[in-house]
Amino acid sequence: MAKDMTLWWGSGSPPCWRVLIALEEKKLQGYNQKLLSFEKGEHKSKEVMDVNPRGQLPAFKCGDIVINESYGACFFLESKFKSQGTKLIPDCAGSDNNCALIALIMQRVFEGNTLHQKMAEVFMYNWKVPENERHESAFERLKETLTTEVQMWEGYLKKTPGGFLAGENFSMADVIVFPSVALLLHMGLSEDKYPKLAEYYKKLQGRPSVKATWPPTWKETPGQEIFKDI
């Protein structure tokens, strides 16, 4: 089945990395993949635009089915291959505990979008806005908003047993959120200030699905310290 799948992706992109991790966790190795360069504008190529008219990555096909949103692709893979590989969302039937766990997983999954958005706002302001055009007060507000959000995730990990984001086992919450946490730490987030996030990052670094999909550009170049003041 994996041979009928194609993923177009970019290195270091949390949305792309989510899908890569999900594919590994569901034991779907052997899919077709094309690593593209954001810097060269390859995500705007005709090949990608034919699959994803927004010209964004990831772009994903399973047979004739196209799913270009990373959340959608991850949930699709879990639904279609429920009994294969890691069960990323437990079954709810007949168990109040499992239903509560599903609720927590879903809560963390969709909160992950807020973390990613606030992180992206700081990242894009630093990357896109020339220094002579920046308004320092505006940039500081963005960083303060992100700081509050990161502190919230640090607090979640303090309260969660097992070292994962939702319960004692790796779940869809980790598939979705870990890439954003990894990008924060790769780009300067203080391990001393956020010890639980640093511990989580190091714990998942050793997970086979994460090791197999580690961004190749990160292996070659150190990250900029964009988030060192968060």
Side-chain angles (χ1 to χ4, degrees), residues 3-220:
K3 292 180 180 179
D4 295 329
M5 299 179 185
T6 302
L7 176 67
W8 293 263
W9 61 286
S11 178
S13 158
C16 294
W17 200 0
R18 294 167 187 156
V19 184
L20 289 162
I21 292 173
L23 285 161
E24 289 291 323
E25 291 289 339
K26 301 310 292 183
K27 304 299 181 187
L28 291 166
Q29 296 89 349
Y31 58 91
N32 303 296
Q33 57 173 303
K34 298 187 178 183
L35 173 58
L36 304 178
S37 169
F38 290 111
E39 289 75 14
K40 295 178 181 177
E42 292 176 347
H43 57 301
K44 300 295 184 182
S45 67
K46 184 180 183 302
E47 181 181 8
V48 174
M49 296 291 284
D50 285 346
V51 181
N52 186 350
R54 288 192 173 92
Q56 297 173 342
L57 300 178
F60 179 68
K61 285 187 71 175
C62 179
D64 294 329
I65 299 170
V66 175
I67 308 176
N68 292 318
E69 293 297 327
S70 62
Y71 275 53
C74 291
F75 275 88
F76 168 79
L77 292 169
E78 172 63 8
S79 178
K80 186 170 180 61
F81 301 98
K82 187 74 174 177
S83 61
Q84 182 170 320
T86 306
K87 183 170 282 191
L88 299 172
I89 302 173
D91 296 322
C92 187
S95 171
D96 288 343
N97 287 339
N98 274 7
C99 289
L101 178 57
I102 291 170
L104 179 59
I105 290 170
M106 295 299 184
Q107 177 70 25
R108 295 292 178 262
V109 161
F110 289 97
E111 281 184 290
N113 191 51
T114 302
L115 172 64
H116 182 73
Q117 180 180 348
K118 292 178 179 179
M119 179 182 72
E121 287 171 351
V122 172
F123 181 87
M124 295 304 290
Y125 196 96
N126 184 79
W127 183 35
K128 291 285 190 179
V129 181
E131 287 193 21
N132 62 340
E133 296 180 16
R134 293 180 188 175
H135 297 280
E136 197 59 36
S137 59
F139 193 33
E140 286 301 317
R141 282 195 297 273
L142 291 175
K143 289 193 290 185
E144 287 170 7
T145 300
L146 177 58
T147 297
T148 300
E149 183 69 22
V150 173
Q151 288 171 345
M152 191 174 297
W153 288 91
E154 176 75 8
Y156 288 159
L157 284 166
K158 287 179 180 178
K159 298 174 184 176
T160 306
F164 297 107
L165 288 174
E168 297 181 356
N169 297 304
F170 185 90
S171 73
M172 185 66 79
D174 302 292
V175 171
I176 296 295
V177 179
F178 172 76
S180 296
V181 172
L183 182 60
L184 283 166
L185 284 153
H186 179 68
M187 292 197 163
L189 189 73
S190 171
E191 294 188 9
D192 293 333
K193 191 174 179 180
Y194 300 101
K196 284 296 180 182
L197 282 168
E199 182 181 326
Y200 172 71
Y201 173 68
K202 292 173 182 176
K203 177 185 178 74
L204 264 65
Q205 271 186 310
R207 191 171 181 87
S209 64
V210 173
K211 289 175 69 175
T213 58
W214 197 260
T217 52
W218 290 12
K219 298 174 183 178
E220 300 162 5

